[in-house]
């Protein structure tokens, strides 16, 4: 009993170390004085200052956030529509085909998605003259495409298990189908919409492969920027940037956790 | 055009008319040529086994399913082509379908808001509905913070808030436990009667139908077997299906041997004694096969052989189910058939027949029923 307890404790801390030690060392090295990432030369915050003065990098951050934001919005919107078609309208011709088509990008290698989108954009530019050059717009389209697949999976699995009588009750009480969907169905599945949005946002923010196929001059996103600068030798600036991102993500997660805990407490108090 | 005379007409029995409704799903006939007349203020129960088409019929009334053919006339207006959100009908769902993201108050107000009712009128109506179902204290709660019975009250209030012409209840007690069920049955009926709303409910529980409804229709395989008051259906079932569905019955298969104006005699294959009924049975001459039926509570048990040459059988006590108020005796006849008989326990320590005792079961001439097999 005691033995197994100790063993599981060791495993737990080993796992935690495996997950968080790299991040910890990254955070520590972001405060490194030295220009060389691997050599410790005392504490300093100078890389943070340099980071904010690096216009290219800051532009890339902003661009990435912008693309991720709009891709997530588009993906959730298209995901809702696809999910409704998949779950609500009962059986229609080509339903299972649509199902597998929507899910295909999940299993497709990024390289293939990126390449095929690149070919599409190039031939479209040839045939209809649009898009004339690749840039943020094409990245947005590309990201929206594969994020929609993920969003649809998340949203449709929630919609599928949703009791049909909510929508019917709203209609029974006088709401048109569209109104009933907006006023009743959407609020009920809101948690799924939020997770679909966050998932899409993260995937878009994270993507290097697809973006490098469809990006053009002046549309370098953060991952591409980081990736290419790392090849020339890691600058501690990147560490500083990563630390800030980690900080934001943890704050966000923590506040979500705190909000949900507070809601739980408030609910149990009113009972 | 609706004449005033027509709406007065609807008050005596034609408030809701269902005319030859048929509904099929692919190759399943869910509702098969159903016609019903429901009067204003009725609480009408559709009673039937699982899969008999009750819910489908109810959903056609609500507008969620479209019948293949037939008419539904509510207060003189054919509503078949109306969308659910345009029908003056509200439904309480089996799962209640209370909107989880809205408070009790907002749930009740939802229907009124769809009608663009002024805010202060909505607030008044909500308070009135909350009072009706005794839920004033819970106005600000979310549905998940309510008990099953409380949720049901809110669902009822929500479906009554728009003062519908017709209220539909789908298995209203289905989500409650047995004890709460009995209490809520009476309470719901009280509320419905105080509002005076016409109501169609669906249930597969005969006791619930008989407690709550003043008219019952028995459905089987998409058809109405019989419609009438609970008493009619219990005392005068028009078919074997109706008789077997409500209460229990002792059945004897046989043929009619005497078919007079004022009485009939049936010779059964299972008991030597012929059965006698003190009313005429109009039978087709070529088809003499019938089922003689008698309810357990209309039979008596005695140790001595009855004087009459009709309406009794002999057997031994096979089993006794003591139920407090009454006992159910299982009498095994000489040929092995089991006949049920109720014995009222009016005397605390009466000398009643016990296991394996030889007894006679008998009944009066007007207790039996003659049914078509
Ligand atoms: N959407 C549907 N698609 C296909 N068949 C259906 C559908 N809805 C109902 N049916 C069929 O119609 C018949 C009647 O179903 P219905 O739901 O009306 O029964 P019910 O009397 O309400 O039974 P229960 O007491 O189990 O609810 C059943 O045979 C059922 O399989
Ligand atoms: Mg049903």
């Amino acid at each position: 009993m005691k033995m197994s307890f100790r063993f599981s404790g060791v495993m737990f801390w080993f796992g935690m170390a495996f997950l968080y030690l790299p991040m910890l060392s990254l955070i520590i090295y972001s405060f490194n004085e030295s220009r060389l990432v691997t050599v410790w030369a005392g504490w300093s915050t100078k890389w943070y200052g340099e980071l904010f003065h690096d216009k290219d990098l800051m532009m890339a951050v902003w661009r990435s956030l912008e693309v991720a934001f709009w891709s997530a919005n588009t993906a959730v919107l298209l995901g809702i529509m696809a999910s409704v078609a998949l779950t609500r309208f009962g059986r229609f011709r080509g339903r299972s085909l649509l199902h597998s088509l929507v899910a295909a990008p999940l299993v497709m290698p990024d390289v293939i998605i990126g390449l095929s989108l690149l070919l599409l954009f190039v031939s479209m530019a040839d045939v209809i003259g649009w898009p004339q050059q690749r840039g943020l717009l094409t990245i947005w389209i590309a990201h929206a495409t594969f994020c929609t697949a993920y969003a649809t999976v998340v949203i449709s699995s929630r919609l599928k298990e949703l009791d049909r009588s909510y929508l019917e009750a709203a209609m029974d009480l006088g709401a048109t189908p569209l109104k009933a969907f907006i006023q009743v169905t959407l609020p009920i599945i809101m948690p799924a919409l939020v997770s679909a949005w966050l998932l899409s946002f993260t995937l878009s923010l994270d993507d290097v492969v697809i973006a490098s196929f469809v990006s053009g001059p002046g549309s370098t996103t953060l991952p591409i920027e980081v990736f290419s600068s790392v090849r020339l030798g890691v600058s501690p600036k990147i560490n500083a940037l990563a630390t800030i991102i980690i900080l934001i993500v943890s704050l966000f997660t923590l506040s979500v956790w705190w909000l949900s805990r507070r809601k739980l407490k408030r609910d149990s108090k009113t009972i | 055009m609706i004449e005033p005379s027509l709406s007065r007409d609807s008050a005596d029995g034609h408030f809701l008319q269902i005319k030859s409704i048929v509904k099929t799903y692919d190759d399943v006939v869910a509702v098969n040529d159903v016609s019903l007349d429901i009067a204003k203020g009725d609480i009408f129960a559709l009673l039937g086994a699982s899969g008999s088409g009750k819910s489908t019929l109810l959903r056609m009334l609500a507008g969620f399913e479209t019948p293949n053919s037939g008419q539904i006339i509510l207060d003189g207006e054919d509503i078949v082509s109306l969308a659910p959100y345009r029908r003056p009908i509200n439904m309480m769902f089996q799962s209640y379908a209370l909107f989880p993201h809205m408070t009790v108050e907002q749930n009740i107000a939802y229907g009124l808001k769809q009608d663009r009712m002024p805010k202060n009128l909505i607030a008044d109506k909500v308070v009135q509905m909350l009072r009706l179902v005794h839920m004033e204290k819970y106005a600000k709660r979310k549905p998940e913070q309510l008990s099953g019975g409380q949720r049901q009250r809110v669902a009822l209030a929500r479906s009554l808030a728009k003062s519908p012409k017709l209220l539909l209840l789908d298995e209203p007690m289905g989500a409650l436990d047995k004890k709460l069920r009995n209490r809520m049955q009476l309470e719901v009926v009280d509320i419905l009667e105080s509002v005076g709303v016409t109501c169609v409910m669906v249930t597969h529980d005969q006791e619930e139908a008989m407690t709550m409804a003043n008219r019952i229709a028995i459905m089987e395989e998409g058809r109405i077997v019989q419609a009438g008051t609970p008493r009619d259906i219990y005392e005068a079932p028009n078919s074997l299906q109706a008789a077997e569905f409500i209460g229990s019955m002792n059945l004897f298969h046989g043929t009619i041997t005497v078919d007079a104006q004022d009485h009939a005699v049936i010779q059964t294959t299972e008991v030597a004694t012929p059965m006698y009924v003190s009313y005429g049975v109009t039978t087709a001459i070529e088809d003499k096969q019938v089922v003689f039926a008698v309810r357990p509570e209309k039979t008596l048990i005695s140790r001595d052989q009855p004087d009459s040459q009709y309406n009794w059988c002999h057997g031994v006590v096979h089993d006794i189910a003591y139920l407090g108020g009454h006992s159910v005796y299982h009498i095994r006849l000489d040929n092995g058939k089991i006949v049920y008989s109720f014995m009222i326990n009016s005397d605390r320590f009466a000398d009643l027949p016990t296991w394996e005792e030889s007894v006679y079961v008998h009944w009066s001439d007007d207790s039996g029923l003659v049914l078509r097999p």
Side-chain angles (χ1 to χ4, degrees):
Chain A
M1 184 65 208
K2 201 158 182 200
M3 181 63 204
S4 74
F5 172 74
R6 219 183 263 162
F7 178 72
S8 62
V10 167
M11 283 313 285
F12 173 75
W13 287 113
F14 183 77
M16 290 306 270
F18 190 75
L19 284 174
Y20 288 104
L21 262 187
M23 278 193 221
L24 191 69
S25 70
L26 185 140
I27 291 172
I28 290 172
Y29 273 101
S30 76
F31 294 102
N32 192 356
E33 172 76 53
S34 161
R35 158 165 298 281
L36 297 165
V37 179
T38 45
V39 181
W40 181 257
W43 294 93
S44 145
T45 52
K46 76 170 182 194
W47 297 114
Y48 286 87
E50 292 224 356
L51 169 69
F52 289 112
H53 286 114
D54 186 335
K55 273 239 174 62
D56 284 350
L57 203 56
M58 290 323 281
M59 277 306 287
V61 169
W62 179 244
R63 242 180 252 132
S64 263
L65 289 175
E66 209 175 14
V67 166
F69 177 78
W70 288 110
S71 303
N73 287 353
T74 318
V76 168
L77 198 68
L78 293 177
I80 291 173
M81 298 205 282
S83 304
V84 169
L86 284 174
T87 54
R88 283 273 171 251
F89 298 140
R91 236 170 247 156
F92 58 91
R93 276 165 59 94
R95 174 185 161 152
S96 54
L97 184 70
L98 181 59
H99 223 158
S100 29
L101 280 182
V102 163
L106 296 186
V107 290
M108 200 86 80
D110 283 355
V111 182
I112 295 180
I113 300 180
L115 187 62
S116 59
L117 280 164
L118 175 64
L119 293 178
L120 173 77
F121 289 139
V122 169
S123 51
M124 268 171 71
D126 275 354
V127 176
I128 59 172
W130 183 92
Q132 293 210 318
Q133 56 174 313
R134 277 158 278 126
L136 283 185
L137 188 69
T138 48
I139 300 180
W140 168 58
I141 293 174
H143 282 186
T145 313
F146 83 92
C147 288
T148 300
Y150 287 89
T152 307
V153 169
V154 173
I155 296 169
S156 71
S157 65
R158 177 72 187 94
L159 260 191
K160 226 179 281 167
E161 69 180 28
L162 185 72
D163 189 350
R164 184 165 74 149
S165 45
Y166 288 122
L167 194 75
E168 287 179 346
M171 276 160 57
D172 186 65
L173 291 166
T176 56
L178 183 67
K179 234 176 157 187
F181 185 76
I182 292 171
Q183 292 176 339
V184 173
T185 310
L186 283 188
I188 294 177
I189 64 166
M190 191 49 83
L193 298 185
V194 171
S195 17
W197 194 90
L198 287 176
L199 184 64
S200 306
F201 188 83
T202 319
L203 285 169
S204 164
L205 206 58
D206 207 32
D207 167 69
V208 194
V209 181
I210 297 175
S212 44
F213 275 101
V214 295
S215 66
S219 66
T220 329
T221 57
L222 178 66
I224 301 179
E225 181 78 33
V226 171
F227 199 64
S228 47
S229 69
V230 164
R231 267 188 308 182
L232 303 176
V234 189
S235 153
K237 270 189 292 190
I238 305 292
N239 285 0
L241 180 64
T243 304
I244 291 172
I245 291 176
I246 290 173
L247 186 73
I248 292 171
V249 169
S250 350
L251 276 181
F252 182 79
T253 325
L254 222 66
S255 58
V256 166
W257 171 78
W258 185 72
L259 277 176
S260 65
R261 209 180 66 133
R262 204 181 57 157
K263 183 176 182 307
L264 213 69
K265 264 199 186 150
R266 203 182 41 211
D267 284 357
S268 56
K269 225 178 258 165
T270 43
I271 286 180
Chain B
M1 201 175 84
I2 301 168
E3 295 286 326
S5 65
L6 197 66
S7 48
R8 202 172 324 119
D9 200 33
S10 68
D12 356 299
H14 306 297
F15 184 65
L16 172 66
Q17 288 174 285
I18 299 171
K19 291 185 175 171
S20 315
I21 287 285
V22 177
K23 174 74 187 175
T24 57
Y25 293 107
D26 302 327
D27 50 351
V28 183
V29 185
V31 171
N32 191 353
D33 193 20
V34 164
S35 297
L36 284 172
D37 262 0
I38 294 165
K40 196 165 186 157
D42 261 0
I43 299 179
F44 193 98
L46 290 168
L47 181 60
S50 188
S52 55
K54 311 176 296 282
S55 296
T56 308
L57 185 57
L58 202 71
R59 291 172 58 78
M60 284 193 282
L61 292 178
F64 301 130
E65 308 284 349
T66 317
N68 299 45
S69 64
Q71 283 178 300
I72 301 171
I73 295 166
L74 179 65
D75 204 8
E77 188 191 359
D78 189 347
I79 57 168
V80 165
S81 54
L82 280 186
Y85 46 90
R86 297 204 192 288
R87 296 190 185 195
I89 296 175
N90 287 129
M91 175 154 163
M92 188 174 100
F93 289 77
Q94 179 170 0
S95 57
Y96 306 141
L98 293 173
F99 306 136
H101 58 294
M102 298 184 192
T103 60
V104 166
E105 240 173 9
Q106 290 166 333
N107 263 287
I108 297 175
Y110 186 82
L112 303 168
K113 273 188 195 148
Q114 304 306 316
D115 285 355
R116 304 255 158 81
M117 201 190 233
K119 275 222 169 66
N120 54 336
L121 290 187
I122 292 184
D124 290 350
K125 186 83 190 181
V126 168
V127 170
Q128 187 193 333
M129 294 322 294
L130 283 171
R131 202 175 302 139
L132 181 71
V133 296
H134 311 298
M135 288 288 290
E136 299 99 318
K137 276 187 280 179
Y138 303 91
K140 299 274 189 270
R141 294 238 184 133
K142 290 274 181 70
E144 60 185 351
Q145 302 165 331
L146 299 176
S147 73
Q150 292 168 336
R151 279 179 210 175
Q152 190 193 38
R153 287 163 205 252
V154 176
L156 186 63
R158 186 177 72 176
S159 52
L160 284 172
K162 292 182 79 173
S163 312
K165 283 185 181 172
L166 180 65
L167 176 72
L168 307 175
L169 308 177
D170 191 0
E171 300 271 4
M173 308 294 156
L176 304 180
D177 60 52
K178 182 102 177 74
K179 215 168 160 190
L180 189 57
R181 203 176 279 198
N182 293 342
R183 208 182 76 212
M184 289 309 291
Q185 282 169 357
L186 298 174
E187 197 171 324
V188 167
V189 170
D190 276 350
I191 292 170
L192 296 182
E193 276 172 357
S194 74
V195 178
V197 67
T198 311
C199 170
V200 176
M201 60 179 270
V202 154
T203 176
H204 59 261
D205 179 352
Q206 51 147 314
E207 207 176 305
E208 184 172 303
M210 299 191 88
T211 314
M212 296 181 69
N214 58 350
R215 294 233 298 141
I216 294 178
I218 296 183
M219 277 191 90
E220 191 165 291
E221 293 182 347
R223 290 180 177 280
I224 301 290
V225 175
Q226 187 175 8
T229 64
R231 197 191 179 95
D232 280 346
I233 291 185
Y234 190 80
E235 300 294 351
N238 64 359
S239 68
L240 202 54
Q241 292 151 331
E244 283 186 301
F245 201 86
I246 293 209
S248 48
M249 269 293 188
N250 293 308
L251 301 173
F252 301 93
H253 292 264
T255 48
I256 296 186
T257 50
V258 180
D259 186 7
Q261 190 75 46
D262 64 342
H263 71 277
V265 176
I266 294 122
Q267 185 61 52
T268 75
T269 49
E270 288 150 309
V271 190
T273 333
M275 307 298 172
Y276 180 98
V277 289
S278 60
Y279 54 87
V281 185
T282 44
T283 51
I285 304 143
E286 66 279 8
D287 184 17
K288 299 257 180 227
Q289 295 290 323
V290 290
V291 176
F292 178 82
V294 62
R295 294 215 180 262
E297 75 276 11
K298 298 207 165 47
T299 63
L300 292 169
I301 297 174
S302 65
R303 293 195 172 95
D304 308 317
Q305 180 170 345
D307 298 333
S308 166
Q309 62 182 113
Y310 299 119
N311 288 348
W312 57 267
C313 49
H314 175 259
V316 293
V317 177
H318 179 67
D319 209 349
I320 306 169
Y322 180 76
L323 298 177
H326 69 270
S327 299
V328 181
Y329 276 72
H330 299 215
I331 314 289
R332 191 174 66 242
L333 303 189
D334 303 332
N335 65 351
K337 183 185 173 74
I338 300 283
V339 168
Y340 300 97
S341 178
F342 288 0
M343 177 86 85
I344 303 291
N345 297 320
S346 48
D347 209 340
R348 284 178 64 204
F349 298 106
D351 174 30
L352 297 172
T354 65
W355 277 269
E356 299 304 330
E357 227 184 300
S358 163
V359 290
Y360 295 89
V361 183
H362 57 99
W363 54 89
S364 63
D365 293 349
D366 56 1
S367 299
L369 286 163
V370 180
L371 301 168
R372 292 274 140 215

